């Protein structure tokens, strides 16, 4: 009986993988541009120079109004990277590339400890120079207590946690609180 089940299970797994492949490919598509940007780009296709200029003037004016009303937000790649770095450690759904693409995903950071506290169970809470607060979630004892000014390397671990090494020492598991 178990041999019959495995004979059917393998093709079923293969079919489910093939069905899932188009869904993952769809996730890789770039996000749709805002309507204001598409309308501005459409002006390039107008052959008559006077009509094209009028289109650009109109669409840039509407884009400016949308910007002033905060209906649309502009950013550059460097600002998006700083934002992603500041959000490192928080779990967010995919936001359609709003802070850059998946290729730009940050998997580790280097920062400096600003303050350290220890709770009753001996676990550390570390506040970083950028005001990020990280809390130890394992019971690993460090040979030396972390101190303000020390460099810390934090990298993605499993199940929503992160590994941190303070100045190359023993790794502890952390989670980001704020």
């Amino acid at each position: 009986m178990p041999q019959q089940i495995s004979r059917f299970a393998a093709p079923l797994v293969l079919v489910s993988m093939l069905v899932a492949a188009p869904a993952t490919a769809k996730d890789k598509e770039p996000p749709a541009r805002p309507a204001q940007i598409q309308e501005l780009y459409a002006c390039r296709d107008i052959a008559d120079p006077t009509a094209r200029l009028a289109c650009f003037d109109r669409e840039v004016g509407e884009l400016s109004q949308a910007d002033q009303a905060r209906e649309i937000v502009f950013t550059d790649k460097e600002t998006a990277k700083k934002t992603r770095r500041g959000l490192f450690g928080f779990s967010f759904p995919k936001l359609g590339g709003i802070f850059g693409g998946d290729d730009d995903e940050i998997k580790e950071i280097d920062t400096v400890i600003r303050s350290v506290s220890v709770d009753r169970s001996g676990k550390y809470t570390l506040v970083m120079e950028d005001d990020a607060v990280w809390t130890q979630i394992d019971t690993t004892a460090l040979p030396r207590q972390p101190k303000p000014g020390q460099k810390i390397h934090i990298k993605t671990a499993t199940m929503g946690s992160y590994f941190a090494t303070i100045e190359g020492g023993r790794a502890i598991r952390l989670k980001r609180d704020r």
Side-chain angles (χ1 to χ4, degrees), residues 72-106:
I72 189 168
V73 178
F74 299 99
T75 191
D76 61 10
K77 193 169 189 166
E78 190 59 33
T79 303
K81 186 175 182 177
K82 286 179 185 175
T83 301
R84 279 192 317 278
R85 188 182 188 290
L87 295 172
F88 180 76
F90 290 122
S91 297
F92 289 104
K94 298 288 183 197
L95 298 174
I98 193 167
F99 298 121
D102 290 340
D103 297 340
D104 297 330
E105 182 180 353
I106 295 176

Side-chain angles (χ1 to χ4, degrees), residues 110-131:
D110 291 299
T111 188
V112 176
I113 299 170
R114 189 174 71 209
S115 68
V116 178
S117 62
V118 183
D119 68 11
R120 290 182 184 176
S121 65
K123 294 181 181 179
Y124 296 105
T125 297
L126 307 170
V127 179
M128 305 305 165
E129 63 182 0
D130 63 354
D131 293 325

Side-chain angles (χ1 to χ4, degrees), residues 40-60:
L40 179 65
Y41 287 171
C43 293
R44 294 182 296 186
D45 298 331
I46 298 172
D48 178 42
T50 306
R52 186 171 54 249
L53 180 58
C55 179
F56 275 120
D57 286 346
R58 180 184 65 252
E59 294 305 326
V60 167

Side-chain angles (χ1 to χ4, degrees):
M1 183 75 160
Q3 200 173 24
Q4 264 187 339
I5 292 173
S6 66
R7 200 175 330 149
F8 292 110
L12 185 60
V13 168
L14 181 62
V15 168
S16 65
M17 288 172 52
L18 290 174
V19 169
T24 57
K26 187 173 76 173
D27 293 343
K28 301 277 185 196
E29 292 176 12
R33 286 193 177 96
Q36 296 95 330
I37 298 297
Q38 288 180 326
E39 290 169 13
L40 179 65
Y41 287 171
C43 293
R44 294 182 296 186
D45 298 331
I46 298 172
D48 178 42
T50 306
R52 186 171 54 249
L53 180 58
C55 179
F56 275 120
D57 286 346
R58 180 184 65 252
E59 294 305 326
V60 167
E62 289 182 16
L63 193 58
S64 176
Q65 287 176 350
D67 182 29
Q68 290 172 355
R70 301 257 183 221
E71 294 171 357
I72 189 168
V73 178
F74 299 99
T75 191
D76 61 10
K77 193 169 189 166
E78 190 59 33
T79 303
K81 186 175 182 177
K82 286 179 185 175
T83 301
R84 279 192 317 278
R85 188 182 188 290
L87 295 172
F88 180 76
F90 290 122
S91 297
F92 289 104
K94 298 288 183 197
L95 298 174
I98 193 167
F99 298 121
D102 290 340
D103 297 340
D104 297 330
E105 182 180 353
I106 295 176
K107 298 189 189 267
E108 55 189 59
I109 62 168
D110 291 299
T111 188
V112 176
I113 299 170
R114 189 174 71 209
S115 68
V116 178
S117 62
V118 183
D119 68 11
R120 290 182 184 176
S121 65
K123 294 181 181 179
Y124 296 105
T125 297
L126 307 170
V127 179
M128 305 305 165
E129 63 182 0
D130 63 354
D131 293 325
V133 178
W134 294 80
T135 304
Q136 183 180 4
I137 58 173
D138 66 3
T139 56
T140 302
L142 295 175
R144 292 181 306 272
Q145 179 169 334
K147 296 187 180 356
Q150 286 185 307
K151 294 179 182 177
I152 184 169
H153 179 79
I154 304 171
K155 66 181 181 178
T156 305
T158 58
M159 311 236 348
S161 66
Y162 297 82
F163 283 124
T165 54
I166 300 165
E167 295 194 344
R170 182 180 294 162
I172 59 174
R173 194 175 289 264
L174 302 175
K175 71 177 177 77
R176 173 111 184 238
D177 282 339
R178 60 178 195 262

